Amino acid sequence: MPVRRPTMTDVAKAAGVSQSTVSMVLNNMTGARLSAETRSRVLGVAMELGYRLPRREAPALLPAPASPDPAPRRSLIGYLVDEISTSPHPVVSVDGARDAAWEHDCLVSVIVTRSNADQEAAAIAALRANPMLLGIVYSTIFTREVTLPAALTDAGGLPVVLLNCHDERHRLPTIVPGEVGGGHAATEHLIAMGHTRIGFINGEPWMEAAKDRLKGYRRALATADLPFDPALVRDGDWMSGTGFEATLSLMREARPPTALFCANDLMALGAMEALAQLGLKVPEDVSLMGYDDQEISRHTHPPLTTMVLPNYEMGRAAVEALLAAADLPQTQRAARRHLIKIDCPLVARQTVRPR
């Protein structure tokens, strides 16, 4: 079996820092306020794991002026995203796309469209007018089915990759997080710690992420021959307030859970506050699992055990899929149209303990 290449998530976990910190260190961002000790630790861990460091030299983006015969090498990747300012997740995906592009002598041009059809059409037209355009990554802030702009469904041979979204016909290479596997792994970890009464506080049930994390939770219970109890499930809205209220509700059950799995870290923060109000300690009385590995999960008391939402690796995978498609003749690309699910790894900290 091929050995898996270490990722930025692996470096962040081993160094005890966020993916953003690892990105800033490995890309030598001089404006970042990071201590010399942190930079040294991240670089040391990256080398120890065998992580491939980003290139430091400037890429050869333009052909040499003295050689007019060869056609210009296409080296610009268009990156369309519907929203970027309301969540940290799409920003981390852009980081991954940028790093992967840079390693292949390419640059990424990011355009935020807010799902406005006119803005999308104008952005695609402007990108396609650039002779350096290699292809387009089409991305969304949360995982969902999309109706692709006509300019992308009839792109005239231009490679297109979908990131964190999918179209009804699955006509294009698609990169999404492995949410079912993430929900399964989170629940499985709690079961391995001896918990059989596990409460699940979900996000908005109409969202694909919420549906898939619940599906993973139920599959892990079934795998362990544990019954699914609807009384242990609460729907939320991804915010800490609903995590607080849902936890109070769950702990009022005749047989309250000994562990809580929250479908994101913000709701886990609310759960932690509710347990404290009830006089219960985490993890001594109730174990607690989050999801997303947001920056704040490192700074709770105790630090939150959670699952990584692999935005950085998804951004990298999208660019790598685009580059692979660009290397193929157009007639062969249909055979490579596939769905790639990126694993959501566990980050074990201090809020889960054996029952």
Side-chain angles (χ1 to χ4, degrees):
M1 295 292 293
V3 177
R4 184 176 71 89
R5 188 175 67 186
T7 67
M8 186 169 290
T9 299
D10 297 326
V11 177
K13 288 172 60 177
V17 298
S18 68
Q19 290 186 32
S20 298
T21 297
V22 173
S23 178
M24 287 187 287
V25 171
L26 298 185
N27 288 287
N28 200 29
M29 293 181 62
T30 56
R33 295 183 178 179
L34 299 174
S35 67
E37 188 276 334
T38 297
R39 290 181 182 272
S40 176
R41 183 169 76 254
V42 169
L43 288 171
V45 168
M47 289 187 288
E48 181 179 339
L49 295 178
Y51 181 84
R52 184 174 62 185
L53 296 176
R55 295 163 52 102
R56 302 293 187 185
E57 68 272 15
L61 293 171
L62 297 174
S67 179
D69 293 333
R73 177 182 177 275
R74 296 178 183 268
S75 55
L76 177 68
I77 294 174
Y79 188 110
L80 271 60
V81 59
D82 57 351
E83 183 58 74
I84 205 169
S85 61
T86 59
S87 169
H89 301 307
V91 178
V92 179
S93 293
V94 170
D95 283 346
R98 176 205 60 206
D99 290 349
W102 181 258
E103 291 171 9
H104 291 86
D105 297 334
C106 294
L107 291 179
V108 174
S109 176
V110 180
I111 303 175
V112 181
T113 66
R114 296 187 181 273
S115 296
N116 181 289
D118 292 337
Q119 290 188 31
E120 286 185 342
I124 295 168
L127 288 169
R128 295 185 66 174
N130 190 324
M132 304 299 292
L133 182 65
L134 182 145
I136 292 177
V137 174
Y138 186 86
S139 173
T140 56
I141 191 172
F142 61 86
T143 311
R144 60 185 176 90
E145 183 177 300
V146 295
T147 300
L148 291 174
L152 293 185
T153 57
D154 183 22
L158 183 71
V160 177
V161 171
L162 304 185
L163 172 58
N164 204 35
C165 57
H166 53 91
D167 70 322
E168 182 181 7
R169 299 181 182 178
H170 302 289
R171 292 168 291 183
L172 298 169
T174 301
I175 314 296
V176 295
E179 301 279 27
V180 175
H184 187 287
T187 309
E188 184 179 54
H189 180 66
L190 294 172
I191 294 171
M193 291 295 178
H195 298 280
T196 57
R197 295 283 293 172
I198 301 170
F200 181 56
I201 302 176
N202 205 359
E204 295 168 283
W206 60 270
M207 296 183 68
E208 288 190 17
K211 293 178 182 178
D212 286 349
R213 293 173 195 183
L214 174 60
K215 187 181 296 183
Y217 164 79
R218 296 190 63 165
R219 284 187 181 179
L221 293 176
T223 301
D225 291 326
L226 295 174
F228 170 71
D229 185 353
L232 292 179
V233 176
R234 299 290 185 275
D235 288 331
D237 62 0
W238 311 109
M239 304 303 292
S240 61
T242 55
F244 183 92
E245 296 298 334
T247 298
L248 294 180
S249 173
L250 285 167
M251 301 312 292
R252 285 194 294 264
E253 291 288 329
R255 293 180 58 214
T258 63
L260 295 176
F261 170 26
C262 297
N264 79 337
D265 293 339
L266 286 179
M267 292 192 297
L269 293 182
M272 193 175 291
E273 292 179 3
L275 293 170
Q277 179 173 296
L278 294 172
L280 299 172
K281 293 183 179 180
V282 176
E284 291 84 354
D285 299 315
V286 179
S287 287
L288 183 61
M289 169 76 70
Y291 203 108
D292 286 350
D293 193 31
Q294 294 191 29
E295 180 67 28
I296 196 170
S297 64
R298 297 163 180 78
H299 306 296
T300 57
H301 299 284
L304 181 65
T305 295
T306 187
M307 305 298 296
V308 174
L309 188 60
N311 298 109
Y312 181 86
E313 302 305 330
M314 289 165 58
R316 288 192 63 95
V319 166
E320 289 169 356
L322 191 72
L323 293 168
D327 285 340
L328 291 174
Q330 185 178 354
T331 54
Q332 297 181 19
R333 290 176 191 165
R336 294 183 62 90
R337 293 172 183 170
H338 53 271
L339 176 67
I340 300 175
K341 293 187 176 182
I342 307 298
D343 289 341
C344 302
L346 171 75
V347 181
R349 295 193 177 104
Q350 299 175 28
T351 57
V352 175
R353 66 179 295 179
R355 188 182 175 201

mmCIF file of all heavy atoms in Angstrom, residues 58 122 127 152 175 177 197 211 292:
data_model
loop_
_atom_site.group_PDB
_atom_site.id
_atom_site.type_symbol
_atom_site.label_atom_id
_atom_site.label_comp_id
_atom_site.label_asym_id
_atom_site.label_seq_id
_atom_site.Cartn_x
_atom_site.Cartn_y
_atom_site.Cartn_z
ATOM 1 N N ALA A 58 10.373 32.435 -6.526
ATOM 2 C CA ALA A 58 9.245 32.911 -7.334
ATOM 3 C C ALA A 58 8.982 31.937 -8.473
ATOM 4 O O ALA A 58 9.911 31.401 -9.079
ATOM 5 C CB ALA A 58 9.560 34.292 -7.897
ATOM 6 N N ALA A 122 -19.924 37.365 -14.831
ATOM 7 C CA ALA A 122 -18.901 38.374 -15.114
ATOM 8 C C ALA A 122 -17.522 37.878 -14.705
ATOM 9 O O ALA A 122 -16.525 38.092 -15.415
ATOM 10 C CB ALA A 122 -19.240 39.675 -14.390
ATOM 11 N N LEU A 127 -12.158 35.821 -16.246
ATOM 12 C CA LEU A 127 -11.112 34.810 -16.120
ATOM 13 C C LEU A 127 -10.808 34.165 -17.467
ATOM 14 O O LEU A 127 -9.636 33.995 -17.844
ATOM 15 C CB LEU A 127 -11.531 33.741 -15.107
ATOM 16 C CG LEU A 127 -11.531 34.153 -13.635
ATOM 17 C CD1 LEU A 127 -12.227 33.095 -12.779
ATOM 18 C CD2 LEU A 127 -10.098 34.365 -13.140
ATOM 19 N N LEU A 152 -19.821 27.412 -17.049
ATOM 20 C CA LEU A 152 -18.994 26.306 -16.579
ATOM 21 C C LEU A 152 -19.479 24.963 -17.104
ATOM 22 O O LEU A 152 -18.683 24.043 -17.277
ATOM 23 C CB LEU A 152 -18.971 26.276 -15.045
ATOM 24 C CG LEU A 152 -18.264 27.447 -14.358
ATOM 25 C CD1 LEU A 152 -18.203 27.215 -12.844
ATOM 26 C CD2 LEU A 152 -16.852 27.655 -14.908
ATOM 27 N N ILE A 175 -14.644 17.666 -4.772
ATOM 28 C CA ILE A 175 -13.938 17.483 -3.503
ATOM 29 C C ILE A 175 -14.870 17.886 -2.373
ATOM 30 O O ILE A 175 -15.326 19.035 -2.323
ATOM 31 C CB ILE A 175 -12.652 18.340 -3.440
ATOM 32 C CG1 ILE A 175 -11.836 18.235 -4.736
ATOM 33 C CG2 ILE A 175 -11.828 17.962 -2.214
ATOM 34 C CD1 ILE A 175 -11.294 16.887 -5.033
ATOM 35 N N PRO A 177 -15.793 17.085 2.151
ATOM 36 C CA PRO A 177 -15.316 16.430 3.379
ATOM 37 C C PRO A 177 -16.036 15.116 3.623
ATOM 38 O O PRO A 177 -17.205 14.960 3.268
ATOM 39 C CB PRO A 177 -15.662 17.465 4.466
ATOM 40 C CG PRO A 177 -16.833 18.216 3.924
ATOM 41 C CD PRO A 177 -16.632 18.259 2.433
ATOM 42 N N ARG A 197 -24.265 5.655 26.436
ATOM 43 C CA ARG A 197 -25.334 6.665 26.374
ATOM 44 C C ARG A 197 -24.687 7.948 25.876
ATOM 45 O O ARG A 197 -24.118 8.730 26.650
ATOM 46 C CB ARG A 197 -25.963 6.878 27.749
ATOM 47 C CG ARG A 197 -26.703 5.696 28.306
ATOM 48 C CD ARG A 197 -28.072 5.520 27.669
ATOM 49 N NE ARG A 197 -29.001 6.610 28.004
ATOM 50 C CZ ARG A 197 -30.196 6.753 27.452
ATOM 51 N NH1 ARG A 197 -30.609 5.891 26.534
ATOM 52 N NH2 ARG A 197 -30.984 7.754 27.807
ATOM 53 N N LYS A 211 -26.851 16.247 8.243
ATOM 54 C CA LYS A 211 -27.389 14.937 7.877
ATOM 55 C C LYS A 211 -26.306 13.863 7.917
ATOM 56 O O LYS A 211 -26.518 12.759 8.426
ATOM 57 C CB LYS A 211 -28.003 15.001 6.478
ATOM 58 C CG LYS A 211 -29.256 15.863 6.371
ATOM 59 C CD LYS A 211 -29.750 15.906 4.924
ATOM 60 C CE LYS A 211 -30.971 16.799 4.775
ATOM 61 N NZ LYS A 211 -31.422 16.873 3.357
ATOM 62 N N ASP A 292 -14.946 20.291 13.943
ATOM 63 C CA ASP A 292 -14.452 21.402 13.109
ATOM 64 C C ASP A 292 -13.019 21.775 13.442
ATOM 65 O O ASP A 292 -12.299 22.290 12.603
ATOM 66 C CB ASP A 292 -15.302 22.679 13.204
ATOM 67 C CG ASP A 292 -16.618 22.582 12.474
ATOM 68 O OD1 ASP A 292 -16.801 21.602 11.737
ATOM 69 O OD2 ASP A 292 -17.465 23.467 12.656
#
